Amino acid sequence: MKRKNMLLLLLFILIGCMSNQDVYAKDMASPDVTAVSSSASEPIVIEPSTLDFEYCQCWRKTLLPLTITNVSDEDVTINHFDLMAPFSSNWNGGVIPANSSRVVTVIFEPTELNTVSQSLNIGYPGNNWGIPVSLSGTGIVAVANKLWAGVDLGLSVNWDDCNLEASAPESVGGLYKWGETLPYYGDGWSHYSLCDGTQTSLTKYNTKADYGQVDNLMVLAPEDDAVRARKGADWRMPTIEEMDELRTKCTWTATTQNGVKGYLVKSKTNDNSIFLPLTSDDECFYWTSSLWANTPTWAQCLSLVYPSGEGRGMYSRCNRYAIRAVCTNKDAGGTIITTGDDFDDPDDPGQPEDTPHSGPQLVVWQKDGSKVLFNLSERPQVTMGDDMVKVETVKISAEYDIEDIRKMTYFSDPDAIKNILFSDKPFSVTDRSIAFIPSETDMNVSIVSANGMVVKELVVRKDEPTAVSLSGMTSGVYLVKVNGVTYKISIR
């Protein structure tokens, strides 16, 4: 009996030791277990945690998606999603259902040549402080690559050479639902802004009572035109009639351009052409601004099926398709009216420093004595090439030979005038920053005051637009040295 009890005691000790070893192993692994449980304690997961918009063209919207996933088994109400300019979003509040995701479009639209950082805190009941998402972006001067008036194909309107939001003719660009001004990444009627969640609850552009509120609107209004929202008043989406004109008065050739399938559309009356890329291997759809009256949940579009051809199509308004813009002002690249004699050169001694009467302006002073004004409210963008300077606004586009320009001047008010003595500079200047244009080589830059003191030194890497703040610099003449070449600017 004693022997048997002794064996039982040894058995219990052995089991206890094995249990302690198991507990120790779990304790050793506890950091990983804790990390998992800590992450799981948050009912929502946000990806990515950082949105870096990098370098973005001033007065243009750049969009990045942000995914909010509800990883819990209960619905979560997002009660805190605040952004300040120049950041915004298409978030309109609401509930994220259990075990589902919602993609939010975050928008960066810089208005100044500087770097902006902001923290977006997404809160919910139980965590009002919210989960932070870091946002950052830098506004730069636009580097334009085409005339604002578009491509003249001999038609009633000019056509853009790139899709909306595309940086090249072969790029698809943004995909939009019909009548929405932002490319939303969610699908279906429940995420369509012109209805109350279903295709039978339309709130605008409807011809039949069975589909919601009837207003008999057949063409997109300006406030619902994605092109006008992004490119200005002279631009809009094409109507179905203008799309038919493009189809019938141009030759269409299935081809591949820079590895992208699409159609070369060439005018029958001149040598101009545009390229329309596909969005998949064999097809693509381009919205028009025209509703399909027989079924108001559909809108009309151009249907491209590679390589068989193109034609009309009618598809659901909540589908996301590409857009090719048209310019209604075919004279947008024509003659610019210059100012009269009442506007004088502030650099000319004895002449009054008259400020333009219509607010802040960019002035191009030509060697023949003529002066051209661009209102800053129309967002002028300056591009400097080898022998040309291009100035584009939302209303007009103009090019000048470098040898014909004496200088360019920015006016804000009589006490804050910045003169840019003209040369073929690798940078442009505003009242707050110097923006360096991407080049083929790195640039060693130094900014030197009139007394020879070096104010700033930096290296601008090739193909990287860089803006240097001028805040804190006193008024006066400064020398900007770029790879041994000296340029003069004046801050007044």
Side-chain angles (χ1 to χ4, degrees), residues 25-98:
K26 291 178 181 178
D27 287 343
M28 290 293 289
S30 61
D32 294 335
V33 174
T34 301
V36 172
S37 62
S38 175
S39 174
S41 66
E42 298 284 2
I44 61 173
V45 174
I46 303 170
E47 296 178 328
S49 60
T50 299
L51 288 180
D52 186 359
F53 289 81
E54 297 182 346
Y55 298 98
C56 299
Q57 184 174 318
C58 282
W59 302 105
R60 290 286 188 271
K61 294 177 181 177
T62 302
L63 312 143
L64 289 177
L66 185 70
T67 303
I68 306 175
T69 302
N70 181 357
V71 296
S72 70
D73 295 327
E74 298 180 358
D75 295 351
V76 173
T77 300
I78 303 299
N79 57 14
H80 185 68
F81 195 102
D82 296 331
L83 287 172
M84 296 184 295
F87 295 100
S88 60
S89 75
N90 66 343
W91 174 260
N92 55 10
V95 175
I96 300 180

Side-chain angles (χ1 to χ4, degrees), residues 16-34:
C17 291
M18 292 175 61
S19 299
N20 287 339
Q21 288 176 351
D22 287 345
V23 170
Y24 180 75
K26 291 178 181 178
D27 287 343
M28 290 293 289
S30 61
D32 294 335
V33 174
T34 301

Side-chain angles (χ1 to χ4, degrees), residues 187-236:
D187 294 320
W189 291 99
S190 60
H191 297 294
Y192 183 56
S193 64
L194 298 178
C195 73
D196 287 331
T198 66
Q199 59 181 331
T200 57
S201 62
L202 296 177
T203 58
K204 199 171 184 180
Y205 306 105
N206 184 24
T207 58
K208 297 183 178 180
D210 292 343
Y211 292 96
Q213 303 174 25
V214 175
D215 54 17
N216 292 314
L217 295 176
M218 297 294 296
V219 179
L220 286 177
E223 63 268 19
D224 300 317
D225 190 320
V227 172
R228 183 184 176 96
R230 300 297 298 272
K231 294 175 71 67
D234 286 335
W235 291 87
R236 58 171 171 77

